[in-house]
Amino acid sequence: MPGTTRCRIKAARFAQDAGRLAAALPVALALLLGAAGAQETGPLTIERFGSFHVGGRNVEISGQPIREYMPTTGGALNRIDPNGAYIVGAMYAQYMIPAAQRGTAPLMLWHGAYLTGATWETTPDGREGWDHFFLRRGWATYVTDAVERGRSGWAMVPEIFREPVFLPLQNPWERFRIGDGPGSFARNTTAPGTQFPTDRASYMNFMRQVVPRFLSTDEDVTAGYIALLERVGPSVVVAHSQGAAFAWQVAQRRPELFRALVLVEPAGTGDMAQAARLKDIPQVFVYGDNMDSRWTAIRENARGFAAAIRTAGGQVDEIDLPARGIRGNSHMVMMDRNGDQVAQLLQDWLAAHGFWR
């Protein structure tokens, strides 16, 4: 019958079209994913960027002798009276605002001990850092140098700050789980499957950014972070090591200034007695592997603190990287060769909790 014939022809054509569509879908999907990948490696589109300093306190110094010194070769002798007023404890911040914002709050990147905001800017072997990673996903990022680090400036020693601690070359190699424990720097041996770039040039690049750490500035650092959050507004804070401990402690003082806490191998905790003050802030912390007894104890302390927050009604998630099949991470997770894989887990966590659109 003519009508039946036409139906059969249409059905055959539909089947052919469906077959072509099915064959084309993988190609289209590959092109789409390729375009997304290109956006993650191509030029960044920044609406604006800049820097500022916040915080600080005034200190009066007296009883110091007048000094004379030659400031430059071929210059004139300078005479300076060090007595008077000083501002100390100010904090430096650099911000990058992408043209298309997708984060629902500013994202802050706080570094660890002996380090500066350079932690987040690039890796020792020249790859992009997590600042780039989150910028490319539409987050407005704020990278800071904590009080007494980098561009935040120092204060008089010992009149205001006590003498700082400096790290010799072997210390981070052995303590940050790059090497396989004590003596590994001299042996030039690494932790099993380490993802940190361990060629000498890369490690020297890392050590060039290591700075002194003062042991008498915690209150100034805390005040600096509070001043930063007060200026920028409630934020998602991604913090590493000592910076993660500060993040917990600052959040206990001013929980209304935090949207979420993302803690990368926290090297300390907050005040256990005030754990309930963190119950309304979604939180996640992450640790890698190759743990020695010291790092195992640090992680267990973090787990105990997280348990206290959960008991108070809060939400704290833990990402155990080896349990996810991600292995070989040093303490400097963001600099490891698989660092972006870890950053993606954190990005996924933030998106799942409604902080990314």
Side-chain angles (χ1 to χ4, degrees), residues 13 41 53 69 71 92 110 152 158 176 227 230 250 260 270 274 315:
R13 286 175 179 169
T41 58
H53 287 78
Y69 65 99
Y92 171 86
W110 295 4
S152 291
F176 290 178
E230 287 177 335
V250 173
Q274 299 187 64
Q315 176 197 342

PDB file of all heavy atoms in Angstrom, residues 13 41 53 69 71 92 110 152 158 176 227 230 250 260 270 274 315:
ATOM      1  N   ARG A  13      14.604   6.279   6.880  1.00  0.00           N
ATOM      2  CA  ARG A  13      15.376   7.535   6.947  1.00  0.00           C
ATOM      3  C   ARG A  13      15.639   7.951   8.400  1.00  0.00           C
ATOM      4  O   ARG A  13      16.707   8.443   8.740  1.00  0.00           O
ATOM      5  CB  ARG A  13      14.616   8.635   6.214  1.00  0.00           C
ATOM      6  CG  ARG A  13      14.659   8.486   4.689  1.00  0.00           C
ATOM      7  CD  ARG A  13      13.787   9.521   4.024  1.00  0.00           C
ATOM      8  NE  ARG A  13      13.849   9.382   2.572  1.00  0.00           N
ATOM      9  CZ  ARG A  13      13.028  10.024   1.730  1.00  0.00           C
ATOM     10  NH1 ARG A  13      12.063  10.817   2.214  1.00  0.00           N
ATOM     11  NH2 ARG A  13      13.160   9.859   0.428  1.00  0.00           N
ATOM     12  N   THR A  41      43.474  26.176  29.666  1.00  0.00           N
ATOM     13  CA  THR A  41      44.898  26.380  29.429  1.00  0.00           C
ATOM     14  C   THR A  41      45.183  27.633  28.601  1.00  0.00           C
ATOM     15  O   THR A  41      46.325  27.995  28.430  1.00  0.00           O
ATOM     16  CB  THR A  41      45.514  25.165  28.716  1.00  0.00           C
ATOM     17  OG1 THR A  41      44.807  24.947  27.480  1.00  0.00           O
ATOM     18  CG2 THR A  41      45.403  23.920  29.574  1.00  0.00           C
ATOM     19  N   HIS A  53      47.129  46.564  51.359  1.00  0.00           N
ATOM     20  CA  HIS A  53      47.537  46.139  52.697  1.00  0.00           C
ATOM     21  C   HIS A  53      46.405  46.444  53.677  1.00  0.00           C
ATOM     22  O   HIS A  53      45.677  47.432  53.516  1.00  0.00           O
ATOM     23  CB  HIS A  53      48.807  46.864  53.154  1.00  0.00           C
ATOM     24  CG  HIS A  53      50.045  46.389  52.459  1.00  0.00           C
ATOM     25  ND1 HIS A  53      50.374  46.778  51.181  1.00  0.00           N
ATOM     26  CD2 HIS A  53      51.039  45.550  52.874  1.00  0.00           C
ATOM     27  CE1 HIS A  53      51.513  46.213  50.831  1.00  0.00           C
ATOM     28  NE2 HIS A  53      51.941  45.460  51.833  1.00  0.00           N
ATOM     29  N   TYR A  69      74.637  55.406  58.970  1.00  0.00           N
ATOM     30  CA  TYR A  69      74.968  54.336  58.031  1.00  0.00           C
ATOM     31  C   TYR A  69      75.042  54.913  56.621  1.00  0.00           C
ATOM     32  O   TYR A  69      74.496  55.975  56.326  1.00  0.00           O
ATOM     33  CB  TYR A  69      73.924  53.215  58.099  1.00  0.00           C
ATOM     34  CG  TYR A  69      72.541  53.609  57.654  1.00  0.00           C
ATOM     35  CD1 TYR A  69      72.084  53.300  56.373  1.00  0.00           C
ATOM     36  CD2 TYR A  69      71.678  54.293  58.512  1.00  0.00           C
ATOM     37  CE1 TYR A  69      70.820  53.654  55.957  1.00  0.00           C
ATOM     38  CE2 TYR A  69      70.411  54.653  58.111  1.00  0.00           C
ATOM     39  CZ  TYR A  69      69.980  54.334  56.829  1.00  0.00           C
ATOM     40  OH  TYR A  69      68.719  54.698  56.427  1.00  0.00           O
ATOM     41  N   PRO A  71      73.813  54.398  53.011  1.00  0.00           N
ATOM     42  CA  PRO A  71      72.748  53.637  52.356  1.00  0.00           C
ATOM     43  C   PRO A  71      73.132  53.056  51.007  1.00  0.00           C
ATOM     44  O   PRO A  71      72.659  51.971  50.649  1.00  0.00           O
ATOM     45  CB  PRO A  71      71.631  54.675  52.202  1.00  0.00           C
ATOM     46  CG  PRO A  71      72.340  55.986  52.170  1.00  0.00           C
ATOM     47  CD  PRO A  71      73.534  55.835  53.058  1.00  0.00           C
ATOM     48  N   TYR A  92      49.579  41.887  53.474  1.00  0.00           N
ATOM     49  CA  TYR A  92      49.498  42.142  52.035  1.00  0.00           C
ATOM     50  C   TYR A  92      48.527  41.167  51.383  1.00  0.00           C
ATOM     51  O   TYR A  92      48.496  39.978  51.725  1.00  0.00           O
ATOM     52  CB  TYR A  92      50.879  41.978  51.396  1.00  0.00           C
ATOM     53  CG  TYR A  92      50.878  42.014  49.886  1.00  0.00           C
ATOM     54  CD1 TYR A  92      50.938  43.223  49.199  1.00  0.00           C
ATOM     55  CD2 TYR A  92      50.806  40.834  49.150  1.00  0.00           C
ATOM     56  CE1 TYR A  92      50.935  43.259  47.811  1.00  0.00           C
ATOM     57  CE2 TYR A  92      50.810  40.860  47.759  1.00  0.00           C
ATOM     58  CZ  TYR A  92      50.866  42.072  47.100  1.00  0.00           C
ATOM     59  OH  TYR A  92      50.867  42.091  45.721  1.00  0.00           O
ATOM     60  N   TRP A 110      45.399  30.974  51.671  1.00  0.00           N
ATOM     61  CA  TRP A 110      46.284  31.282  52.801  1.00  0.00           C
ATOM     62  C   TRP A 110      47.396  30.229  52.856  1.00  0.00           C
ATOM     63  O   TRP A 110      47.133  29.024  52.861  1.00  0.00           O
ATOM     64  CB  TRP A 110      45.505  31.266  54.108  1.00  0.00           C
ATOM     65  CG  TRP A 110      44.456  32.329  54.219  1.00  0.00           C
ATOM     66  CD1 TRP A 110      44.086  33.244  53.271  1.00  0.00           C
ATOM     67  CD2 TRP A 110      43.606  32.570  55.354  1.00  0.00           C
ATOM     68  NE1 TRP A 110      43.077  34.045  53.749  1.00  0.00           N
ATOM     69  CE2 TRP A 110      42.759  33.668  55.014  1.00  0.00           C
ATOM     70  CE3 TRP A 110      43.473  31.988  56.613  1.00  0.00           C
ATOM     71  CZ2 TRP A 110      41.802  34.162  55.905  1.00  0.00           C
ATOM     72  CZ3 TRP A 110      42.522  32.482  57.496  1.00  0.00           C
ATOM     73  CH2 TRP A 110      41.700  33.564  57.145  1.00  0.00           C
ATOM     74  N   SER A 152      54.454  41.700  53.327  1.00  0.00           N
ATOM     75  CA  SER A 152      53.797  42.261  54.507  1.00  0.00           C
ATOM     76  C   SER A 152      54.758  42.990  55.430  1.00  0.00           C
ATOM     77  O   SER A 152      54.328  43.718  56.303  1.00  0.00           O
ATOM     78  CB  SER A 152      53.080  41.145  55.285  1.00  0.00           C
ATOM     79  OG  SER A 152      51.987  40.664  54.547  1.00  0.00           O
ATOM     80  N   PRO A 158      65.105  42.592  68.451  1.00  0.00           N
ATOM     81  CA  PRO A 158      64.052  41.903  69.215  1.00  0.00           C
ATOM     82  C   PRO A 158      63.067  42.847  69.896  1.00  0.00           C
ATOM     83  O   PRO A 158      62.280  42.402  70.736  1.00  0.00           O
ATOM     84  CB  PRO A 158      64.871  41.154  70.266  1.00  0.00           C
ATOM     85  CG  PRO A 158      65.990  42.113  70.577  1.00  0.00           C
ATOM     86  CD  PRO A 158      66.306  42.804  69.263  1.00  0.00           C
ATOM     87  N   PHE A 176      58.590  17.709  54.953  1.00  0.00           N
ATOM     88  CA  PHE A 176      57.383  17.871  54.137  1.00  0.00           C
ATOM     89  C   PHE A 176      57.072  16.633  53.297  1.00  0.00           C
ATOM     90  O   PHE A 176      56.326  16.687  52.348  1.00  0.00           O
ATOM     91  CB  PHE A 176      57.521  19.085  53.225  1.00  0.00           C
ATOM     92  CG  PHE A 176      57.495  20.412  53.940  1.00  0.00           C
ATOM     93  CD1 PHE A 176      57.648  21.591  53.233  1.00  0.00           C
ATOM     94  CD2 PHE A 176      57.321  20.499  55.312  1.00  0.00           C
ATOM     95  CE1 PHE A 176      57.623  22.823  53.873  1.00  0.00           C
ATOM     96  CE2 PHE A 176      57.307  21.718  55.970  1.00  0.00           C
ATOM     97  CZ  PHE A 176      57.458  22.885  55.250  1.00  0.00           C
ATOM     98  N   ALA A 227      41.151  41.467  59.576  1.00  0.00           N
ATOM     99  CA  ALA A 227      41.061  42.730  58.831  1.00  0.00           C
ATOM    100  C   ALA A 227      40.838  42.469  57.342  1.00  0.00           C
ATOM    101  O   ALA A 227      40.081  43.187  56.673  1.00  0.00           O
ATOM    102  CB  ALA A 227      42.328  43.553  59.046  1.00  0.00           C
ATOM    103  N   GLU A 230      37.211  41.329  56.870  1.00  0.00           N
ATOM    104  CA  GLU A 230      36.308  42.459  57.069  1.00  0.00           C
ATOM    105  C   GLU A 230      36.285  43.362  55.840  1.00  0.00           C
ATOM    106  O   GLU A 230      35.237  43.920  55.491  1.00  0.00           O
ATOM    107  CB  GLU A 230      36.721  43.257  58.303  1.00  0.00           C
ATOM    108  CG  GLU A 230      36.406  42.556  59.614  1.00  0.00           C
ATOM    109  CD  GLU A 230      36.876  43.332  60.823  1.00  0.00           C
ATOM    110  OE1 GLU A 230      37.830  44.148  60.687  1.00  0.00           O
ATOM    111  OE2 GLU A 230      36.311  43.129  61.914  1.00  0.00           O
ATOM    112  N   VAL A 250      40.750  31.644  63.391  1.00  0.00           N
ATOM    113  CA  VAL A 250      40.107  32.898  63.021  1.00  0.00           C
ATOM    114  C   VAL A 250      38.600  32.691  62.886  1.00  0.00           C
ATOM    115  O   VAL A 250      37.797  33.533  63.313  1.00  0.00           O
ATOM    116  CB  VAL A 250      40.706  33.450  61.710  1.00  0.00           C
ATOM    117  CG1 VAL A 250      39.934  34.671  61.219  1.00  0.00           C
ATOM    118  CG2 VAL A 250      42.172  33.815  61.908  1.00  0.00           C
ATOM    119  N   ALA A 260      32.909  29.003  53.714  1.00  0.00           N
ATOM    120  CA  ALA A 260      33.342  27.605  53.771  1.00  0.00           C
ATOM    121  C   ALA A 260      34.826  27.576  54.087  1.00  0.00           C
ATOM    122  O   ALA A 260      35.550  28.546  53.839  1.00  0.00           O
ATOM    123  CB  ALA A 260      33.068  26.887  52.447  1.00  0.00           C
ATOM    124  N   GLY A 270      41.937  24.322  65.881  1.00  0.00           N
ATOM    125  CA  GLY A 270      41.420  25.428  66.665  1.00  0.00           C
ATOM    126  C   GLY A 270      41.331  25.048  68.130  1.00  0.00           C
ATOM    127  O   GLY A 270      41.925  24.060  68.565  1.00  0.00           O
ATOM    128  N   GLN A 274      35.939  25.466  71.927  1.00  0.00           N
ATOM    129  CA  GLN A 274      35.054  26.339  71.152  1.00  0.00           C
ATOM    130  C   GLN A 274      34.694  25.732  69.805  1.00  0.00           C
ATOM    131  O   GLN A 274      34.321  26.440  68.870  1.00  0.00           O
ATOM    132  CB  GLN A 274      35.705  27.699  70.930  1.00  0.00           C
ATOM    133  CG  GLN A 274      36.009  28.458  72.210  1.00  0.00           C
ATOM    134  CD  GLN A 274      36.504  29.862  71.918  1.00  0.00           C
ATOM    135  OE1 GLN A 274      35.781  30.691  71.359  1.00  0.00           O
ATOM    136  NE2 GLN A 274      37.739  30.118  72.280  1.00  0.00           N
ATOM    137  N   GLN A 315      29.270  20.255  59.961  1.00  0.00           N
ATOM    138  CA  GLN A 315      29.630  19.332  58.884  1.00  0.00           C
ATOM    139  C   GLN A 315      31.103  19.514  58.549  1.00  0.00           C
ATOM    140  O   GLN A 315      31.538  20.595  58.162  1.00  0.00           O
ATOM    141  CB  GLN A 315      28.805  19.606  57.627  1.00  0.00           C
ATOM    142  CG  GLN A 315      29.212  18.732  56.443  1.00  0.00           C
ATOM    143  CD  GLN A 315      28.693  19.261  55.120  1.00  0.00           C
ATOM    144  OE1 GLN A 315      27.779  20.066  55.096  1.00  0.00           O
ATOM    145  NE2 GLN A 315      29.299  18.807  54.026  1.00  0.00           N
TER     146      GLN A 315
END
